[in-house]
Amino acid sequence: MNGAPNPRLGFAGVGWIGRHRMNAIAATGEARIVAVADPDLDAARNAAAEVGAQAFGSFEELLDLDLDGIAIATPNALHASQSLAAFARGMAVFCQKPLGRSAAETRMVIDAARTADRLLGVDFSYRHTTAVEAMRAEIANGAIGDLYAADLVFHNAYGPDKAWFRDARLSGGGCLLDLGIHLVDLALWVFGAPVVRTTGRLFANGKPFTRGMGGVEDHALLQLDLADGAAVRVTCSWNLHAGADADIRATFYGTRGAVTMQNENGSFYDFTAARCEGTRRTTLASPPDAWGGRAAIAWMRRLAEDRGFDASIERVADVAAVLDSVYALHEPPSTRRALEQTA
Ligand SMILES: NC(=O)c1ccc[n+]([C@@H]2O[C@H](COP(=O)([O-])OP(=O)(O)OC[C@H]3O[C@@H](n4cnc5c(N)ncnc54)[C@H](O)[C@@H]3O)[C@@H](O)[C@H]2O)c1
């Protein structure tokens, strides 16, 4: 660090992930955590007590404080409106994924950050695993030749344990928006080429899924065609018969080899990565790896240096557009016809 003052931060939503990210930032000793807001006042007070912050029962109270930034980890439906409110007060934002329930909401937040010239970060936490970093480094140094295909998988055999995830108004979508978003982000980030065509199928409880009929999808299978000719397959689910707590894998195929990462023993947290040439396999990374808070910490450190807009966040809009195009295929026929007419 260059001696820049520690940023003054507020945390909105201190459920599972908000509290984890708050503690990860607190552990660095490089930020002043001033306030925590959650309508569950016990949760707010307990979290605030851990870091010596003030507790509030509403998000709006954070807006009246002198903060450099707010970390948002509330249900998905609130992400866009809370981000916009923070930018309107000149604060930077670190938001959990998804930034919005749709590409339009996502676009609105990115545009607001640019207009306010404030830093916007999104918690694409898997980018920061040592396994993904090792794969990216191998690809960048040409070790596997020219990339042409990838296969990414995220099955969570339990599914989320909070009811709002399965309420489309609050979540915006099911496993695709929850888990698939990480995979699409990784694929676009690694390839760097735009998507020219997306196809996909969504299921709920083993039946073809249609939006607006109640509930959300619990199994998604996508294929993305990229402008450079590469093909990407993405599969994700909740409550699948996965044979383990979780099955998380990403493999990138090149003309001279492949790089692959996989969770160990069904773990949500432990990953190995390897480079493969024919039948040979060379380990690139293995657990332990405390990666969960790294995206939040990177945002906080960048904020300490420079609170201005970082244009690299634009890629998040591309990810949202891919998800939107799959959801559009699963609108009821009347909505699809209307969408086609306005396209
Ligand atoms: N980046 C990742 O890898 C990752 C992992 C898990 C969850 N998430 C995301 O984090 C978000 C939260 O997920 P979770 O599992 O922690 O959910 P959660 O339900 O445990 O936590 C949400 C919290 O927000 C609070 N809340 C509700 N309305 C609020 C408001 N108006 N203002 C302030 N707080 C409010 C709730 O009381 C709750 O404590 C979701 O968007 C989810 O997609 C991201």
Side-chain angles (χ1 to χ4, degrees), residues 109-177:
V109 180
I110 295 171
D111 288 348
R114 193 191 317 95
T115 303
D117 191 20
R118 286 294 176 270
L119 182 64
L120 168 62
V122 179
D123 198 353
F124 283 118
S125 45
Y126 292 86
R127 286 190 189 187
H128 297 263
T129 58
T130 303
V132 167
E133 281 170 355
M135 290 198 302
R136 281 245 305 171
E138 289 295 296
I139 292 166
N141 74 23
I144 65 166
D146 298 327
L147 271 188
Y148 67 91
D151 195 358
L152 301 96
V153 172
F154 197 151
H155 299 302
N156 172 348
Y158 300 109
D161 55 355
K162 295 121 196 168
W164 69 259
F165 276 91
R166 296 177 195 274
D167 178 339
R169 285 164 309 151
L170 295 177
S171 62
C175 65
L176 179 57
L177 199 55

Side-chain angles (χ1 to χ4, degrees), residues 43-253:
R45 287 192 183 118
N46 289 337
E50 283 184 316
V51 294
Q54 252 188 301
F56 296 97
S58 81
F59 171 80
E60 288 66 29
E61 288 169 281
L62 294 183
L63 299 172
D64 294 330
L65 304 175
D66 173 26
L67 299 175
D68 296 307
I70 298 186
I72 297 170
T74 53
N76 300 350
L78 300 170
H79 292 179
S81 58
Q82 292 180 336
S83 298
L84 293 182
F87 291 132
R89 296 296 182 103
M91 298 170 187
V93 169
F94 180 71
C95 190
Q96 280 307 314
K97 47 51 65 173
L99 191 49
R101 287 169 293 179
S102 62
E105 272 192 4
T106 303
R107 181 79 262 161
M108 213 161 56
V109 180
I110 295 171
D111 288 348
R114 193 191 317 95
T115 303
D117 191 20
R118 286 294 176 270
L119 182 64
L120 168 62
V122 179
D123 198 353
F124 283 118
S125 45
Y126 292 86
R127 286 190 189 187
H128 297 263
T129 58
T130 303
V132 167
E133 281 170 355
M135 290 198 302
R136 281 245 305 171
E138 289 295 296
I139 292 166
N141 74 23
I144 65 166
D146 298 327
L147 271 188
Y148 67 91
D151 195 358
L152 301 96
V153 172
F154 197 151
H155 299 302
N156 172 348
Y158 300 109
D161 55 355
K162 295 121 196 168
W164 69 259
F165 276 91
R166 296 177 195 274
D167 178 339
R169 285 164 309 151
L170 295 177
S171 62
C175 65
L176 179 57
L177 199 55
D178 182 36
L179 307 176
I181 193 168
H182 283 296
L183 306 179
V184 172
D185 173 65
L186 283 182
L188 300 197
W189 189 53
V190 168
F191 277 93
V195 177
V196 291
R197 196 169 72 109
T198 306
T199 53
R201 295 284 311 280
L202 302 180
F203 294 86
N205 301 313
K207 303 255 179 356
F209 172 72
T210 303
R211 287 197 119 191
M213 309 298 273
V216 293
E217 78 284 358
D218 61 15
H219 196 164
L221 302 93
L222 273 54
Q223 170 140 347
L224 319 182
D225 296 325
L226 307 188
D228 62 2
V232 175
R233 282 198 317 203
V234 167
T235 315
C236 63
S237 72
W238 293 337
N239 301 101
L240 194 74
H241 302 287
D245 291 358
D247 178 7
I248 308 169
R249 284 174 277 136
T251 306
F252 294 87
Y253 297 97

Side-chain angles (χ1 to χ4, degrees), residues 313-339:
I313 201 68
E314 289 283 350
R315 197 176 286 283
V316 176
D318 301 337
V319 175
V322 166
L323 304 195
D324 250 29
S325 64
V326 178
Y327 284 127
L329 298 171
H330 294 79
E331 294 289 353
S334 55
T335 313
R336 286 185 63 182
R337 275 195 298 278
L339 285 171

